[in-house]
Amino acid sequence: MTTLTVSQLSKHFPLRDGRRRRTLRAVDGVSFELRSGQTVALVGESGSGKSTIARMLVRLTRPTTGEIRLDGIPVAADRRAVRRYRRDVQMVFQDPFGSLNPAHTVEYHLRRPLRLHGVARSAGDVRAAVHDLLARVNLTPADQVARRLPHELSGGQRQRVAIARALAPRPRILLADEPVSMLDVSIRLEILNLIDRLKREEELAVLYVTHDLATARYFASSIMVLYRGQVVESGPADEVILRPAHPYTQLLASAAPDPGRPRSSTPGGMRALRGGQQTATDSGGCLFRDRCPAAMRVCHTEVPEFPVGAGHMARCWLHRPDAGQLPPQPR
Amino acid sequence: MTLDTTAVTGTDVVLSVRDLSVVYDGADPVRAVRDVSFDLARGEVLGIAGESGCGKSTLAYAITRLLKPPGRVASGEVVFHPADGPPVDLSTLHGEPLRRFRWNRVAMVFQGAMNALNPVLSVRRQLADVFTAHRPELRRAEREERCRELLDLVGIGPERLSAYPHELSGGMRQRVLIAMAMALRPDVVVMDEPTTALDVVVQRDILEEIDRLRARFGFAVVFITHDLSLLLEISDRLAVMYGGRIVEYGRAADLHAAPAHPYTVGLLRSFPRLRGERTVLHGVPGSPPDLSRPLTGCAFTARCPYVFDACHHTDPSLRVAGTTRAACLHYDPALRPDGPPEALRAGRFDSGPAECAVEEAGGDPPVDTTGRQPRREAAEPPQASTDPVTAQAESAPERDGAAPETGPWPPTGGGTR
């Protein structure tokens, strides 16, 4: 049983705007836990900080503050410790066209992590391990696929290679950063089903970063909704999607394509929420208040997390316990 | 219930496409679009769905006469019916008449909100360009006024006229492109993946904007995307393309309620629904056919769970199939007197065919190794078909008491209603 515990993780980027200096809070005080055999979905729009979180978790980006513990042990900063840590925590990137080197074969991509992390040493072991990896991601016949170059593979096949590569060091945590957003709709589910099967077979803890609420609900046991670097709502997948508590989650859910919805009944009530660009910095209070149809004066003050159900929390003043028995649920 | 869903009464049609084929010439000519026919009614939204490489963008370029060599229209015709005046066969237009036709009558919103604008020209220059090219009689002040109106139309303030594309958000850039397409009040706007790179909320705004503009100006839209869930919501009628052909065509509601072609069935089972019960979904395993190789039979055989003998040597054409029209031999009464299999009618799409498909028999080992995967899974049914169910069962406790709403496998009814 492996647990990756993230507490109060923040990443601030300094910005220079002429002579003024500002801070972009890309990720601001995010805490959560990943456990073996579970998928947690991190949902948000582009720019919400979800990829930054994934990158901090694999140590591609150094957090400004906050702590990441793997089975209770904080990650040390020295190179050897980071390498050991990366053995356990691996990532699948969004773009299977960019994440594989066009000049190298599939076998090369899989051999490197095997050697680097000492999973297999002799040539025979490495070859067997490569074939085993390819078989695990359903790329068969393995000996033929291993000789191929990335351009000879389809997008879905490339993403399978990327997944195989992430599995090579035998990780316990798998971070999937929009693993299917560059793929055709018809093959997305295959890739997600593959990740789901591997999660079960290898007892992986999976973080699924996505902007697609529907697949988040389908594959994750719990969902965190990220807005401008903060988790504004989190809870069990069905709870968050079917009974969204935060106005932003409600907006996301109402905007998602829904073939069941008859034409011309698109909710006009949400128009007030049209976003536009927000300023990067803000002085406390709810970050969503400028777009929120329910904004109140209290929204200018820092919002704590309020429980709205079992394991379900929302960072919204509408849900403070003393707000009376009328938490509005605009649909 | 009408049987022929493609028939639109004569005068309503604004664009009719007949047996259109497009070939990219080369050592192995690629037949990207094969015998496509449809009628676009005035003011309607026709959705064209399909995965990458199915020919949907090529079709868009052929309709707008924007194909560049080595692409060429090999056969067929595209006829435009203006509200006033005689029909125009687009293939006969050349030079000045073609230049005047483009953008005046048929405009296009291109794929990729990020790249379709010129990064070194201001929005004003790019919008005004449409007017300098097509309305040279306008004076500078009038042009400026028209540009302001255009931006206002799509909800962008006039101060953005001086902005450069990099200063605009993705959604705004897409709005500018839509404004540009509106400039000359065209009868038809072809939109090629206009919202693909955008966030859901922005996407929803853009779709509403398009709907509003359409209600106001009454143009017809050909909306091309791979996102079938989106198309079902916004289209009046829908064409599903596969391997360069339209494999199913009908009213969006009918196609959603009772898809006929196995590919449509598979596509409809490719995206989980946001609300409603969770069902086990698989997508459509495998890769699209290589259109540079000669196809014998139906292009979908390699991925079709309902393939039978005739599929390997007969390429079906569209025929009436329930409430829609589908290019599938299961609806040929001569071959299938009892009609399509029960599972297909029930909207099931379980796995690939058990045996190898014909077009893979020759040549070097095909790249579509994933095409083999469904067959492999079919050989091990306990592993492949039950594991998503166990997945749901396993994760049930942590779903906070919510019972896993999975039915028995295989689910009936499909993810379609």
PDB file of all heavy atoms in Angstrom, chain B residues 257-290:
ATOM      1  N   ALA B 257     -30.747   8.196 -31.239  1.00  0.00           N
ATOM      2  CA  ALA B 257     -31.682   7.241 -30.647  1.00  0.00           C
ATOM      3  C   ALA B 257     -31.482   5.835 -31.204  1.00  0.00           C
ATOM      4  O   ALA B 257     -31.533   4.851 -30.469  1.00  0.00           O
ATOM      5  CB  ALA B 257     -33.111   7.707 -30.889  1.00  0.00           C
ATOM      6  N   ALA B 258     -31.240   5.745 -32.508  1.00  0.00           N
ATOM      7  CA  ALA B 258     -31.138   4.425 -33.118  1.00  0.00           C
ATOM      8  C   ALA B 258     -30.067   4.408 -34.197  1.00  0.00           C
ATOM      9  O   ALA B 258     -30.360   4.432 -35.378  1.00  0.00           O
ATOM     10  CB  ALA B 258     -32.499   4.032 -33.711  1.00  0.00           C
ATOM     11  N   PRO B 259     -28.797   4.392 -33.787  1.00  0.00           N
ATOM     12  CA  PRO B 259     -27.723   4.345 -34.775  1.00  0.00           C
ATOM     13  C   PRO B 259     -27.776   3.028 -35.537  1.00  0.00           C
ATOM     14  O   PRO B 259     -28.064   1.986 -34.937  1.00  0.00           O
ATOM     15  CB  PRO B 259     -26.460   4.442 -33.933  1.00  0.00           C
ATOM     16  CG  PRO B 259     -26.850   3.908 -32.597  1.00  0.00           C
ATOM     17  CD  PRO B 259     -28.283   4.297 -32.411  1.00  0.00           C
ATOM     18  N   ALA B 260     -27.515   3.080 -36.846  1.00  0.00           N
ATOM     19  CA  ALA B 260     -27.631   1.866 -37.644  1.00  0.00           C
ATOM     20  C   ALA B 260     -26.267   1.265 -37.963  1.00  0.00           C
ATOM     21  O   ALA B 260     -26.080   0.055 -37.883  1.00  0.00           O
ATOM     22  CB  ALA B 260     -28.392   2.165 -38.933  1.00  0.00           C
ATOM     23  N   HIS B 261     -25.304   2.097 -38.343  1.00  0.00           N
ATOM     24  CA  HIS B 261     -24.009   1.567 -38.767  1.00  0.00           C
ATOM     25  C   HIS B 261     -23.174   1.165 -37.536  1.00  0.00           C
ATOM     26  O   HIS B 261     -23.151   1.896 -36.545  1.00  0.00           O
ATOM     27  CB  HIS B 261     -23.264   2.634 -39.564  1.00  0.00           C
ATOM     28  CG  HIS B 261     -22.123   2.079 -40.359  1.00  0.00           C
ATOM     29  ND1 HIS B 261     -20.909   1.777 -39.786  1.00  0.00           N
ATOM     30  CD2 HIS B 261     -22.019   1.739 -41.664  1.00  0.00           C
ATOM     31  CE1 HIS B 261     -20.098   1.294 -40.730  1.00  0.00           C
ATOM     32  NE2 HIS B 261     -20.750   1.260 -41.875  1.00  0.00           N
ATOM     33  N   PRO B 262     -22.497   0.020 -37.627  1.00  0.00           N
ATOM     34  CA  PRO B 262     -21.689  -0.412 -36.473  1.00  0.00           C
ATOM     35  C   PRO B 262     -20.684   0.651 -36.022  1.00  0.00           C
ATOM     36  O   PRO B 262     -20.430   0.795 -34.823  1.00  0.00           O
ATOM     37  CB  PRO B 262     -20.964  -1.653 -37.000  1.00  0.00           C
ATOM     38  CG  PRO B 262     -21.818  -2.163 -38.102  1.00  0.00           C
ATOM     39  CD  PRO B 262     -22.494  -0.972 -38.716  1.00  0.00           C
ATOM     40  N   TYR B 263     -20.135   1.413 -36.964  1.00  0.00           N
ATOM     41  CA  TYR B 263     -19.162   2.436 -36.588  1.00  0.00           C
ATOM     42  C   TYR B 263     -19.821   3.533 -35.745  1.00  0.00           C
ATOM     43  O   TYR B 263     -19.264   3.966 -34.737  1.00  0.00           O
ATOM     44  CB  TYR B 263     -18.524   3.040 -37.836  1.00  0.00           C
ATOM     45  CG  TYR B 263     -17.492   4.104 -37.547  1.00  0.00           C
ATOM     46  CD1 TYR B 263     -16.369   3.825 -36.785  1.00  0.00           C
ATOM     47  CD2 TYR B 263     -17.656   5.404 -38.023  1.00  0.00           C
ATOM     48  CE1 TYR B 263     -15.424   4.803 -36.515  1.00  0.00           C
ATOM     49  CE2 TYR B 263     -16.720   6.382 -37.751  1.00  0.00           C
ATOM     50  CZ  TYR B 263     -15.602   6.081 -37.005  1.00  0.00           C
ATOM     51  OH  TYR B 263     -14.679   7.056 -36.733  1.00  0.00           O
ATOM     52  N   THR B 264     -21.014   3.953 -36.159  1.00  0.00           N
ATOM     53  CA  THR B 264     -21.734   4.960 -35.376  1.00  0.00           C
ATOM     54  C   THR B 264     -22.029   4.412 -33.984  1.00  0.00           C
ATOM     55  O   THR B 264     -21.886   5.117 -32.979  1.00  0.00           O
ATOM     56  CB  THR B 264     -23.058   5.335 -36.064  1.00  0.00           C
ATOM     57  OG1 THR B 264     -22.814   5.507 -37.449  1.00  0.00           O
ATOM     58  CG2 THR B 264     -23.626   6.602 -35.487  1.00  0.00           C
ATOM     59  N   VAL B 265     -22.435   3.152 -33.946  1.00  0.00           N
ATOM     60  CA  VAL B 265     -22.705   2.514 -32.659  1.00  0.00           C
ATOM     61  C   VAL B 265     -21.450   2.566 -31.779  1.00  0.00           C
ATOM     62  O   VAL B 265     -21.506   2.937 -30.609  1.00  0.00           O
ATOM     63  CB  VAL B 265     -23.162   1.052 -32.879  1.00  0.00           C
ATOM     64  CG1 VAL B 265     -23.224   0.305 -31.563  1.00  0.00           C
ATOM     65  CG2 VAL B 265     -24.521   1.028 -33.562  1.00  0.00           C
ATOM     66  N   GLY B 266     -20.307   2.239 -32.393  1.00  0.00           N
ATOM     67  CA  GLY B 266     -19.044   2.267 -31.649  1.00  0.00           C
ATOM     68  C   GLY B 266     -18.685   3.668 -31.193  1.00  0.00           C
ATOM     69  O   GLY B 266     -18.255   3.873 -30.055  1.00  0.00           O
ATOM     70  N   LEU B 267     -18.870   4.634 -32.076  1.00  0.00           N
ATOM     71  CA  LEU B 267     -18.553   6.016 -31.711  1.00  0.00           C
ATOM     72  C   LEU B 267     -19.424   6.495 -30.558  1.00  0.00           C
ATOM     73  O   LEU B 267     -18.956   7.172 -29.654  1.00  0.00           O
ATOM     74  CB  LEU B 267     -18.790   6.952 -32.902  1.00  0.00           C
ATOM     75  CG  LEU B 267     -17.676   7.146 -33.911  1.00  0.00           C
ATOM     76  CD1 LEU B 267     -18.068   8.246 -34.890  1.00  0.00           C
ATOM     77  CD2 LEU B 267     -16.370   7.515 -33.241  1.00  0.00           C
ATOM     78  N   LEU B 268     -20.694   6.129 -30.623  1.00  0.00           N
ATOM     79  CA  LEU B 268     -21.599   6.554 -29.559  1.00  0.00           C
ATOM     80  C   LEU B 268     -21.226   5.916 -28.229  1.00  0.00           C
ATOM     81  O   LEU B 268     -21.566   6.436 -27.171  1.00  0.00           O
ATOM     82  CB  LEU B 268     -23.044   6.198 -29.917  1.00  0.00           C
ATOM     83  CG  LEU B 268     -23.706   7.127 -30.930  1.00  0.00           C
ATOM     84  CD1 LEU B 268     -24.996   6.528 -31.452  1.00  0.00           C
ATOM     85  CD2 LEU B 268     -23.980   8.480 -30.308  1.00  0.00           C
ATOM     86  N   ARG B 269     -20.515   4.805 -28.305  1.00  0.00           N
ATOM     87  CA  ARG B 269     -20.082   4.160 -27.060  1.00  0.00           C
ATOM     88  C   ARG B 269     -18.643   4.543 -26.713  1.00  0.00           C
ATOM     89  O   ARG B 269     -17.995   3.876 -25.936  1.00  0.00           O
ATOM     90  CB  ARG B 269     -20.208   2.650 -27.183  1.00  0.00           C
ATOM     91  CG  ARG B 269     -21.659   2.206 -27.316  1.00  0.00           C
ATOM     92  CD  ARG B 269     -21.798   0.712 -27.187  1.00  0.00           C
ATOM     93  NE  ARG B 269     -21.228   0.205 -25.946  1.00  0.00           N
ATOM     94  CZ  ARG B 269     -21.801   0.323 -24.764  1.00  0.00           C
ATOM     95  NH1 ARG B 269     -22.949   0.916 -24.658  1.00  0.00           N
ATOM     96  NH2 ARG B 269     -21.223  -0.159 -23.700  1.00  0.00           N
ATOM     97  N   SER B 270     -18.158   5.619 -27.328  1.00  0.00           N
ATOM     98  CA  SER B 270     -16.765   6.011 -27.114  1.00  0.00           C
ATOM     99  C   SER B 270     -16.608   7.098 -26.085  1.00  0.00           C
ATOM    100  O   SER B 270     -15.508   7.434 -25.699  1.00  0.00           O
ATOM    101  CB  SER B 270     -16.150   6.516 -28.421  1.00  0.00           C
ATOM    102  OG  SER B 270     -16.037   5.481 -29.331  1.00  0.00           O
ATOM    103  N   PHE B 271     -17.698   7.713 -25.679  1.00  0.00           N
ATOM    104  CA  PHE B 271     -17.539   8.754 -24.664  1.00  0.00           C
ATOM    105  C   PHE B 271     -18.521   8.503 -23.535  1.00  0.00           C
ATOM    106  O   PHE B 271     -19.688   8.245 -23.758  1.00  0.00           O
ATOM    107  CB  PHE B 271     -17.746  10.147 -25.262  1.00  0.00           C
ATOM    108  CG  PHE B 271     -18.949  10.281 -26.140  1.00  0.00           C
ATOM    109  CD1 PHE B 271     -20.171  10.617 -25.587  1.00  0.00           C
ATOM    110  CD2 PHE B 271     -18.877  10.054 -27.497  1.00  0.00           C
ATOM    111  CE1 PHE B 271     -21.286  10.737 -26.380  1.00  0.00           C
ATOM    112  CE2 PHE B 271     -19.986  10.167 -28.301  1.00  0.00           C
ATOM    113  CZ  PHE B 271     -21.201  10.511 -27.740  1.00  0.00           C
ATOM    114  N   PRO B 272     -18.035   8.528 -22.325  1.00  0.00           N
ATOM    115  CA  PRO B 272     -18.949   8.351 -21.202  1.00  0.00           C
ATOM    116  C   PRO B 272     -19.848   9.578 -21.108  1.00  0.00           C
ATOM    117  O   PRO B 272     -19.448  10.683 -21.459  1.00  0.00           O
ATOM    118  CB  PRO B 272     -18.021   8.264 -19.994  1.00  0.00           C
ATOM    119  CG  PRO B 272     -16.709   8.770 -20.427  1.00  0.00           C
ATOM    120  CD  PRO B 272     -16.650   8.735 -21.901  1.00  0.00           C
ATOM    121  N   ARG B 273     -21.061   9.359 -20.672  1.00  0.00           N
ATOM    122  CA  ARG B 273     -21.939  10.502 -20.485  1.00  0.00           C
ATOM    123  C   ARG B 273     -21.674  11.116 -19.131  1.00  0.00           C
ATOM    124  O   ARG B 273     -21.296  10.440 -18.191  1.00  0.00           O
ATOM    125  CB  ARG B 273     -23.388  10.066 -20.625  1.00  0.00           C
ATOM    126  CG  ARG B 273     -23.774   9.862 -22.080  1.00  0.00           C
ATOM    127  CD  ARG B 273     -25.034   9.078 -22.181  1.00  0.00           C
ATOM    128  NE  ARG B 273     -24.927   7.872 -21.368  1.00  0.00           N
ATOM    129  CZ  ARG B 273     -25.975   7.260 -20.848  1.00  0.00           C
ATOM    130  NH1 ARG B 273     -27.172   7.724 -21.039  1.00  0.00           N
ATOM    131  NH2 ARG B 273     -25.815   6.165 -20.139  1.00  0.00           N
ATOM    132  N   LEU B 274     -21.884  12.417 -19.083  1.00  0.00           N
ATOM    133  CA  LEU B 274     -21.558  13.134 -17.855  1.00  0.00           C
ATOM    134  C   LEU B 274     -22.475  12.703 -16.725  1.00  0.00           C
ATOM    135  O   LEU B 274     -22.046  12.376 -15.637  1.00  0.00           O
ATOM    136  CB  LEU B 274     -21.691  14.633 -18.116  1.00  0.00           C
ATOM    137  CG  LEU B 274     -21.237  15.540 -16.991  1.00  0.00           C
ATOM    138  CD1 LEU B 274     -19.774  15.311 -16.679  1.00  0.00           C
ATOM    139  CD2 LEU B 274     -21.474  16.987 -17.362  1.00  0.00           C
ATOM    140  N   ARG B 275     -23.769  12.711 -17.028  1.00  0.00           N
ATOM    141  CA  ARG B 275     -24.722  12.293 -16.008  1.00  0.00           C
ATOM    142  C   ARG B 275     -25.265  10.936 -16.432  1.00  0.00           C
ATOM    143  O   ARG B 275     -24.798  10.349 -17.379  1.00  0.00           O
ATOM    144  CB  ARG B 275     -25.839  13.322 -15.902  1.00  0.00           C
ATOM    145  CG  ARG B 275     -25.289  14.706 -15.553  1.00  0.00           C
ATOM    146  CD  ARG B 275     -26.357  15.768 -15.605  1.00  0.00           C
ATOM    147  NE  ARG B 275     -25.757  17.080 -15.415  1.00  0.00           N
ATOM    148  CZ  ARG B 275     -25.282  17.814 -16.402  1.00  0.00           C
ATOM    149  NH1 ARG B 275     -25.352  17.382 -17.644  1.00  0.00           N
ATOM    150  NH2 ARG B 275     -24.718  18.976 -16.166  1.00  0.00           N
ATOM    151  N   GLY B 276     -26.230  10.464 -15.691  1.00  0.00           N
ATOM    152  CA  GLY B 276     -26.795   9.177 -16.059  1.00  0.00           C
ATOM    153  C   GLY B 276     -25.921   8.055 -15.571  1.00  0.00           C
ATOM    154  O   GLY B 276     -24.853   8.273 -14.991  1.00  0.00           O
ATOM    155  N   GLU B 277     -26.381   6.839 -15.813  1.00  0.00           N
ATOM    156  CA  GLU B 277     -25.679   5.730 -15.199  1.00  0.00           C
ATOM    157  C   GLU B 277     -24.390   5.415 -15.926  1.00  0.00           C
ATOM    158  O   GLU B 277     -24.197   5.737 -17.083  1.00  0.00           O
ATOM    159  CB  GLU B 277     -26.582   4.500 -15.128  1.00  0.00           C
ATOM    160  CG  GLU B 277     -26.782   3.787 -16.427  1.00  0.00           C
ATOM    161  CD  GLU B 277     -27.735   2.621 -16.227  1.00  0.00           C
ATOM    162  OE1 GLU B 277     -28.926   2.852 -16.021  1.00  0.00           O
ATOM    163  OE2 GLU B 277     -27.253   1.487 -16.283  1.00  0.00           O
ATOM    164  N   ARG B 278     -23.483   4.792 -15.179  1.00  0.00           N
ATOM    165  CA  ARG B 278     -22.190   4.452 -15.755  1.00  0.00           C
ATOM    166  C   ARG B 278     -22.320   3.109 -16.432  1.00  0.00           C
ATOM    167  O   ARG B 278     -22.792   2.150 -15.856  1.00  0.00           O
ATOM    168  CB  ARG B 278     -21.151   4.356 -14.656  1.00  0.00           C
ATOM    169  CG  ARG B 278     -21.083   5.575 -13.789  1.00  0.00           C
ATOM    170  CD  ARG B 278     -20.667   5.177 -12.412  1.00  0.00           C
ATOM    171  NE  ARG B 278     -19.216   5.119 -12.336  1.00  0.00           N
ATOM    172  CZ  ARG B 278     -18.502   6.066 -11.768  1.00  0.00           C
ATOM    173  NH1 ARG B 278     -19.071   7.113 -11.262  1.00  0.00           N
ATOM    174  NH2 ARG B 278     -17.211   5.961 -11.699  1.00  0.00           N
ATOM    175  N   THR B 279     -21.871   3.071 -17.685  1.00  0.00           N
ATOM    176  CA  THR B 279     -21.889   1.796 -18.383  1.00  0.00           C
ATOM    177  C   THR B 279     -20.462   1.481 -18.798  1.00  0.00           C
ATOM    178  O   THR B 279     -19.611   2.349 -18.796  1.00  0.00           O
ATOM    179  CB  THR B 279     -22.785   1.862 -19.627  1.00  0.00           C
ATOM    180  OG1 THR B 279     -22.511   3.087 -20.299  1.00  0.00           O
ATOM    181  CG2 THR B 279     -24.244   1.822 -19.247  1.00  0.00           C
ATOM    182  N   VAL B 280     -20.231   0.250 -19.139  1.00  0.00           N
ATOM    183  CA  VAL B 280     -18.904  -0.155 -19.550  1.00  0.00           C
ATOM    184  C   VAL B 280     -18.701   0.230 -21.006  1.00  0.00           C
ATOM    185  O   VAL B 280     -19.519  -0.092 -21.857  1.00  0.00           O
ATOM    186  CB  VAL B 280     -18.726  -1.667 -19.372  1.00  0.00           C
ATOM    187  CG1 VAL B 280     -17.342  -2.082 -19.818  1.00  0.00           C
ATOM    188  CG2 VAL B 280     -18.960  -2.027 -17.928  1.00  0.00           C
ATOM    189  N   LEU B 281     -17.644   0.951 -21.294  1.00  0.00           N
ATOM    190  CA  LEU B 281     -17.426   1.466 -22.633  1.00  0.00           C
ATOM    191  C   LEU B 281     -16.064   1.038 -23.156  1.00  0.00           C
ATOM    192  O   LEU B 281     -15.131   0.847 -22.391  1.00  0.00           O
ATOM    193  CB  LEU B 281     -17.509   2.990 -22.615  1.00  0.00           C
ATOM    194  CG  LEU B 281     -18.831   3.586 -22.125  1.00  0.00           C
ATOM    195  CD1 LEU B 281     -18.694   5.075 -21.943  1.00  0.00           C
ATOM    196  CD2 LEU B 281     -19.934   3.270 -23.095  1.00  0.00           C
ATOM    197  N   HIS B 282     -15.988   0.902 -24.473  1.00  0.00           N
ATOM    198  CA  HIS B 282     -14.730   0.442 -25.050  1.00  0.00           C
ATOM    199  C   HIS B 282     -14.155   1.315 -26.131  1.00  0.00           C
ATOM    200  O   HIS B 282     -13.018   1.183 -26.498  1.00  0.00           O
ATOM    201  CB  HIS B 282     -14.906  -0.959 -25.641  1.00  0.00           C
ATOM    202  CG  HIS B 282     -14.805  -2.015 -24.605  1.00  0.00           C
ATOM    203  ND1 HIS B 282     -13.626  -2.313 -23.990  1.00  0.00           N
ATOM    204  CD2 HIS B 282     -15.733  -2.809 -24.056  1.00  0.00           C
ATOM    205  CE1 HIS B 282     -13.834  -3.272 -23.104  1.00  0.00           C
ATOM    206  NE2 HIS B 282     -15.105  -3.582 -23.114  1.00  0.00           N
ATOM    207  N   GLY B 283     -14.945   2.172 -26.732  1.00  0.00           N
ATOM    208  CA  GLY B 283     -14.462   2.883 -27.901  1.00  0.00           C
ATOM    209  C   GLY B 283     -14.461   1.979 -29.102  1.00  0.00           C
ATOM    210  O   GLY B 283     -15.101   0.927 -29.116  1.00  0.00           O
ATOM    211  N   VAL B 284     -13.737   2.380 -30.130  1.00  0.00           N
ATOM    212  CA  VAL B 284     -13.630   1.582 -31.351  1.00  0.00           C
ATOM    213  C   VAL B 284     -12.171   1.199 -31.515  1.00  0.00           C
ATOM    214  O   VAL B 284     -11.384   1.967 -32.036  1.00  0.00           O
ATOM    215  CB  VAL B 284     -14.108   2.386 -32.587  1.00  0.00           C
ATOM    216  CG1 VAL B 284     -14.139   1.510 -33.819  1.00  0.00           C
ATOM    217  CG2 VAL B 284     -15.476   3.003 -32.335  1.00  0.00           C
ATOM    218  N   PRO B 285     -11.779   0.019 -31.046  1.00  0.00           N
ATOM    219  CA  PRO B 285     -10.370  -0.368 -31.125  1.00  0.00           C
ATOM    220  C   PRO B 285      -9.887  -0.431 -32.572  1.00  0.00           C
ATOM    221  O   PRO B 285     -10.679  -0.694 -33.476  1.00  0.00           O
ATOM    222  CB  PRO B 285     -10.347  -1.754 -30.489  1.00  0.00           C
ATOM    223  CG  PRO B 285     -11.605  -1.858 -29.701  1.00  0.00           C
ATOM    224  CD  PRO B 285     -12.600  -1.007 -30.418  1.00  0.00           C
ATOM    225  N   GLY B 286      -8.602  -0.191 -32.740  1.00  0.00           N
ATOM    226  CA  GLY B 286      -8.031  -0.308 -34.075  1.00  0.00           C
ATOM    227  C   GLY B 286      -7.767   1.038 -34.699  1.00  0.00           C
ATOM    228  O   GLY B 286      -7.974   2.076 -34.094  1.00  0.00           O
ATOM    229  N   SER B 287      -7.270   1.010 -35.943  1.00  0.00           N
ATOM    230  CA  SER B 287      -6.928   2.232 -36.648  1.00  0.00           C
ATOM    231  C   SER B 287      -7.717   2.320 -37.944  1.00  0.00           C
ATOM    232  O   SER B 287      -8.128   1.297 -38.484  1.00  0.00           O
ATOM    233  CB  SER B 287      -5.437   2.248 -36.994  1.00  0.00           C
ATOM    234  OG  SER B 287      -4.689   1.831 -35.897  1.00  0.00           O
ATOM    235  N   PRO B 288      -7.888   3.538 -38.440  1.00  0.00           N
ATOM    236  CA  PRO B 288      -8.604   3.691 -39.712  1.00  0.00           C
ATOM    237  C   PRO B 288      -7.827   3.059 -40.866  1.00  0.00           C
ATOM    238  O   PRO B 288      -6.620   2.830 -40.758  1.00  0.00           O
ATOM    239  CB  PRO B 288      -8.720   5.211 -39.872  1.00  0.00           C
ATOM    240  CG  PRO B 288      -7.830   5.821 -38.873  1.00  0.00           C
ATOM    241  CD  PRO B 288      -7.523   4.804 -37.838  1.00  0.00           C
ATOM    242  N   PRO B 289      -8.509   2.763 -41.967  1.00  0.00           N
ATOM    243  CA  PRO B 289      -7.854   2.085 -43.082  1.00  0.00           C
ATOM    244  C   PRO B 289      -6.872   3.011 -43.790  1.00  0.00           C
ATOM    245  O   PRO B 289      -6.994   4.231 -43.729  1.00  0.00           O
ATOM    246  CB  PRO B 289      -9.019   1.742 -44.009  1.00  0.00           C
ATOM    247  CG  PRO B 289     -10.048   2.774 -43.716  1.00  0.00           C
ATOM    248  CD  PRO B 289      -9.916   3.071 -42.250  1.00  0.00           C
ATOM    249  N   ASP B 290      -5.912   2.402 -44.447  1.00  0.00           N
ATOM    250  CA  ASP B 290      -4.952   3.145 -45.251  1.00  0.00           C
ATOM    251  C   ASP B 290      -5.581   3.380 -46.622  1.00  0.00           C
ATOM    252  O   ASP B 290      -5.770   2.441 -47.403  1.00  0.00           O
ATOM    253  CB  ASP B 290      -3.677   2.301 -45.369  1.00  0.00           C
ATOM    254  CG  ASP B 290      -2.604   3.015 -46.168  1.00  0.00           C
ATOM    255  OD1 ASP B 290      -2.907   4.093 -46.728  1.00  0.00           O
ATOM    256  OD2 ASP B 290      -1.489   2.490 -46.235  1.00  0.00           O
TER     257      ASP B 290
END
